[in-house]
Every structure is written in structure tokens, then in C-alpha cells.
């Protein structure tokens, strides 16, 4: 998940929490009016539990996405390191003396002659 997508998810979560808090306050204030207050409380607890489960699932998915992105970044760093090592290994060319017409002069056994 991209950062903006995570931010959108967090904003949506906070918006839903605010909606639930408003509903909770409204239903709580109406408990005095209704005779079936236990049913309303049970419904509110069910909604809270459902929202908590959704939040846990969202956090799990975000953690998986972060882990996937970290693994991809780690692979990319390793590939770059391999590439640099290969370039460094190949940046020195061995001289080819067969093509050098003056090679015999430089390879002589004694310089005193």
C-alpha cells in the first residue's frame, strides 16, 4: 500500500469511529426513553466488536503491505550491490602482450644487456 492509501484508510477508520461514537452517545441518551435498553446496548457492543475486527484486519493488511515493500526494497538493494561488485570486478583489464610489438623489449630477462 502506498502512503496515501494508508492515510486514506486511517482517515476512513477515524471517520467511522466518530460516527460510532455519535451513534453510541445518541443511543445512550435514548436508553432512558426506551424500555428495551439491553437490546440497544447489545447492538452497540456488536457494532463496536465488528468495527474492532475490521480495524484489526486493516492493520494486518497494512503490516503485510509494509513487509512486502521492505522485502522489495531489500531485494533492490541487494541487486544494486551485486551490480556494483560486478562492475568493480570488471573495471580492470588484463594487458594482452601478444598484440604489443614492443612487448619483448619490456619482458627481457635482464636490463643490463
Amino acid at each position: 500500500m502506498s502512503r496515501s492509501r494508508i492515510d486514506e484508510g486511517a482517515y476512513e477508520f477515524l471517520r467511522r469511529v466518530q460516527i460510532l461514537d455519535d451513534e453510541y452517545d445518541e443511543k445512550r441518551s435514548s436508553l432512558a426513553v426506551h424500555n428495551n435498553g439491553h437490546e440497544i446496548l447489545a447492538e452497540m457492543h456488536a457494532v463496536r466488536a465488528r468495527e474492532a475486527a475490521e480495524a484489526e484486519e486493516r492493520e494486518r493488511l497494512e503490516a503485510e503491505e509494509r513487509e512486502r515493500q521492505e522485502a522489495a526494497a531489500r531485494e533492490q538493494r541487494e541487486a544494486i550491490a551485486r551490480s556494483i561488485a560486478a562492475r568493480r570486478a570488471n573495471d580492470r583489464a588484463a594487458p594482452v602482450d601478444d598484440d604489443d610489438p614492443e612487448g619483448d623489449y619490456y619482458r627481457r630477462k635482464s636490463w643490463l644487456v
Side-chain angles (χ1 to χ4, degrees):
M1 276 186 184
S2 67
R3 173 51 83 186
S4 62
R5 184 127 176 176
I6 292 172
D7 290 341
E8 288 174 9
Y11 174 77
E12 180 63 23
F13 174 74
L14 292 174
R15 189 181 69 79
R16 285 185 178 195
V17 167
Q18 184 62 42
I19 290 171
L20 284 175
D21 285 341
D22 292 343
E23 288 176 5
Y24 180 81
D25 292 338
E26 180 184 330
K27 289 185 180 188
R28 190 170 176 191
S29 65
S30 69
L31 282 178
V33 177
H34 297 291
N35 293 333
N36 60 351
H38 296 291
E39 293 173 10
I40 294 173
L41 282 176
E43 181 182 339
M44 289 187 323
H45 288 299
V47 168
R48 293 269 184 190
R50 188 170 53 248
E51 285 295 322
E54 288 176 4
E56 287 177 14
E57 178 67 13
R58 189 172 19 266
E59 289 175 9
R60 185 187 63 80
L61 292 173
E62 289 172 358
E64 287 177 1
E65 181 63 22
R66 279 191 302 274
E67 185 177 313
R68 188 192 64 76
Q69 288 177 351
E70 289 170 2
R74 197 170 31 252
E75 289 176 15
Q76 186 177 16
R77 285 191 299 271
E78 290 171 358
I80 291 169
R82 285 192 302 272
S83 173
I84 290 171
R87 263 189 261 122
R88 285 183 180 160
N90 294 331
D91 73 348
R92 291 198 177 98
V96 179
D97 290 334
D98 296 338
D99 296 337
D100 186 9
E102 297 175 353
D104 290 336
Y105 175 77
Y106 292 107
R107 283 190 307 258
R108 61 185 174 185
K109 293 188 187 232
S110 172
W111 286 88
L112 299 176
V113 179

